[in-house]
Amino acid sequence: MHWHSRLVQPQTLAAPGFESLATPTYRGSTVVFKRQADVVDDWKQAENGYSYGLYGTPTALELSGRIAQLEGALHSFVVPGGQAAIALVYFAMCKAGSHALVPYNAYGPNKEMAQGLLKNLGVDVEPYDPLIGAGISDLIRENTTLIWVESPGSVTMEIQDIPAICKAAHERDIMVALDNTYAAGVLFDAFGHGVDISMQALTKYVGGHSDLLLGTVSVNNESLKAKVGITYKQLGLAVSPDDCSLALRGLQTLGIRLTHLEASTLEVAEWLTKQKEIAQVLHPAFPSCPGHDLWKRDFIGSSSVFSFLFTEEFTAQQVEQFIDTLELFKIGMSWGGVTSLALVYPNIDRPGKDYAGRLVRLNIGLEHPAELIKDLERAIQAISQSGVTHQRSKNVPLDRVALE
Ligand SMILES: *Cc1c(COP(=O)(O)O)cnc(C)c1O
């Protein structure tokens, strides 16, 4: 062979038989077939054989299988991020003329998609009170095809009565989709509590190191698998095998990270409940969190993200200064990584509530909790003592923050 040809079509030279503990990172778009007659374009590669890298290389399918196992699902679709997973659920379950229900404390970009893309395509998404429970029945219409639940909800952390909502939905043959990101797919048993579709942002706890974006949509019956699968194929939600490989590594330490994060987070939250400057701690394991009893009934643990509210003596400016004074806590979006994060939510929109820029969300990382508490204490003291010497905060544009 000409050396050009040999470079393109090499023989494998490395000896076979390398038995590593790591899942290999398989790259590939084209899949080669033995015969023309074997050529298919089928996303169901686990059953029908590999056909195209778009539907996942063995690295992505390994991750898919392990998430499905962890969540007790029949199948998990791995997609490029949590927001892509939300889109996949909407597009699989809704069409022009459909009505969907989404709790008003849902992940901001979910609501943004509802009011943007989906509205333009003729899908009517209606926000509802996350604490509505069985009362959801009254909001169901003839054309309702999907009910979202998210528990605890983003930022304000309300726990929902998911079994009651599922019961009401199933009486009318409506599917319930859960954003199960907080629970990492494990602290709350979605399918055991009646949910039909469980999605999560692997970006958070499975990735666990703030260095990748991935999401999953898990289903536990064949008809939903087929329905979501058709949409998944058409949307072209390709994922990088390198990211999947990192997520597979993340899974190996997920158990120990969650256990450690739960304990550290409880320690920090507990300390905050005792500070006179703090009006309310919104952490599911504390009675001050709306729906705490439901958390006790339905969850096997809590994780690393929670919020707290400064008392009314503090201005929004002082709370912003509090954030800027923190040193160990970094200012940034997302959560579930090893680094502690803090963000103020100045424009959080909850019917009947005005948090007036006093609501702060924390993600607790793997730093020593006593030092995190010191950091918080120092920043609280700084804003309690000082008149406000204020500068506009650093990196995060406020209108962007309000969406999370
Ligand atoms: C972060 C997050 C998402 C979106 O995940 P990305 O991977 O960042 O797109 C969805 N839902 C919840 C609850 C989240 O916290």
Side-chain angles (χ1 to χ4, degrees):
M1 265 204 272
H2 189 279
W3 66 275
H4 284 190
S5 302
R6 204 168 57 232
L7 282 174
V8 173
Q9 298 200 7
Q11 285 180 320
T12 301
L13 299 176
F18 179 69
E19 300 237 357
S20 165
L21 288 170
T23 305
T25 302
Y26 290 98
R27 295 196 180 81
S29 49
T30 297
V31 165
V32 291
F33 300 91
K34 288 256 178 319
R35 288 181 304 264
Q36 172 65 40
D38 296 340
V39 177
V40 287
D41 180 20
D42 184 352
W43 70 267
K44 284 192 189 164
Q45 300 190 117
E47 293 99 308
N48 303 337
Y50 288 102
S51 70
Y52 192 42
L54 183 61
Y55 316 126
T57 73
T59 314
L61 295 202
E62 183 64 34
L63 179 61
S64 152
R66 291 202 202 167
I67 297 289
Q69 213 171 48
L70 198 61
E71 293 198 43
L74 172 70
H75 186 81
S76 296
F77 296 87
V78 182
V79 300
Q83 181 70 353
I86 290 169
L88 175 57
V89 172
Y90 271 123
F91 284 110
M93 305 309 294
C94 301
K95 58 184 185 192
S98 296
H99 171 249
L101 288 160
V102 62
Y104 61 59
N105 59 357
Y107 179 62
N110 177 328
K111 293 181 286 180
E112 199 184 346
M113 192 188 312
Q115 281 144 32
L117 259 181
L118 293 166
K119 195 171 170 201
N120 291 340
L121 293 170
V123 179
D124 178 10
V125 184
E126 182 187 348
Y128 71 89
D129 178 350
L131 299 173
I132 198 168
I136 195 89
S137 292
D138 299 336
L139 301 180
I140 293 175
R141 302 184 197 162
E142 277 306 304
N143 58 340
T144 306
T145 57
L146 172 67
I147 298 174
W148 272 107
V149 286
E150 182 179 322
S151 181
S154 285
V155 188
T156 43
M157 307 297 290
E158 297 88 346
I159 312 294
Q160 295 197 265
D161 192 343
I162 292 179
I165 291 174
C166 291
K167 183 163 176 286
H170 294 159
E171 278 164 8
R172 309 271 290 270
D173 269 340
I174 295 159
M175 298 290 107
V176 177
L178 166 67
D179 186 331
N180 206 11
T181 303
Y182 173 90
V186 291
L187 302 178
F188 177 81
D189 175 4
F191 299 114
H193 287 94
V195 165
D196 304 287
I197 303 173
S198 167
M199 61 82 27
Q200 54 163 325
L202 303 189
T203 308
K204 307 290 165 55
Y205 291 117
V206 172
H209 296 76
S210 312
D211 56 2
L212 66 89
L213 291 132
L214 281 173
T216 45
V217 173
S218 301
V219 294
N220 74 343
N221 68 58
E222 288 291 351
S223 82
L224 275 175
K225 180 181 169 189
K227 198 165 180 174
V228 177
I230 289 167
T231 312
Y232 163 79
K233 180 172 188 284
Q234 291 178 26
L235 284 174
L237 297 168
V239 295
S240 152
D242 298 280
D243 289 344
C244 292
S245 153
L246 287 174
L248 284 163
R249 179 160 75 172
L251 275 176
Q252 293 180 307
T253 55
L254 178 65
I256 196 163
R257 282 187 286 111
L258 282 177
T259 306
H260 188 90
L261 289 172
E262 174 172 35
S264 297
T265 304
L266 284 168
E267 201 174 321
V268 175
E270 172 82 37
W271 180 83
L272 280 165
T273 62
K274 295 183 188 135
Q275 306 312 305
K276 62 178 188 321
E277 294 85 356
I278 307 306
Q280 193 179 3
V281 173
L282 298 169
H283 180 301
F286 291 82
S288 51
C289 189
H292 164 71
D293 288 339
L294 297 169
W295 173 81
K296 275 204 295 201
R297 187 190 70 185
D298 295 343
F299 282 67
I300 59 165
S302 57
S303 55
S304 68
V305 65
F306 72 100
S307 302
F308 67 90
L309 190 64
F310 276 98
T311 58
E312 286 177 14
E313 282 111 67
F314 291 91
T315 64
Q317 268 201 337
Q318 281 173 301
V319 177
E320 207 176 314
Q321 192 198 343
F322 162 82
I323 299 282
D324 292 349
T325 307
L326 292 167
E327 282 174 4
L328 275 183
F329 283 88
K330 303 302 172 197
I331 307 170
M333 281 183 280
S334 202
W335 39 274
V338 300
T339 312
S340 292
L341 300 171
L343 263 192
V344 68
Y345 285 84
N347 304 323
I348 193 99
D349 178 22
R350 299 286 184 265
K353 285 243 165 74
D354 181 8
Y355 293 105
R358 292 181 286 109
L359 188 64
V360 173
R361 190 182 70 180
L362 298 182
N363 172 65
I364 303 302
L366 295 179
E367 301 90 345
H368 200 285
E371 280 181 357
L372 293 173
I373 289 170
K374 276 237 147 52
D375 200 23
L376 294 169
E377 189 171 27
R378 204 178 46 79
I380 292 174
Q381 275 168 8
I383 60 166
S384 304
Q385 289 160 3
S386 77
V388 184
T389 48
H390 181 72
Q391 306 148 12
R392 194 115 204 100
S393 91
K394 308 160 189 172
N395 308 318
V396 188
L398 296 186
D399 55 341
R400 192 60 233 286
V401 173
L403 296 174
E404 185 95 350

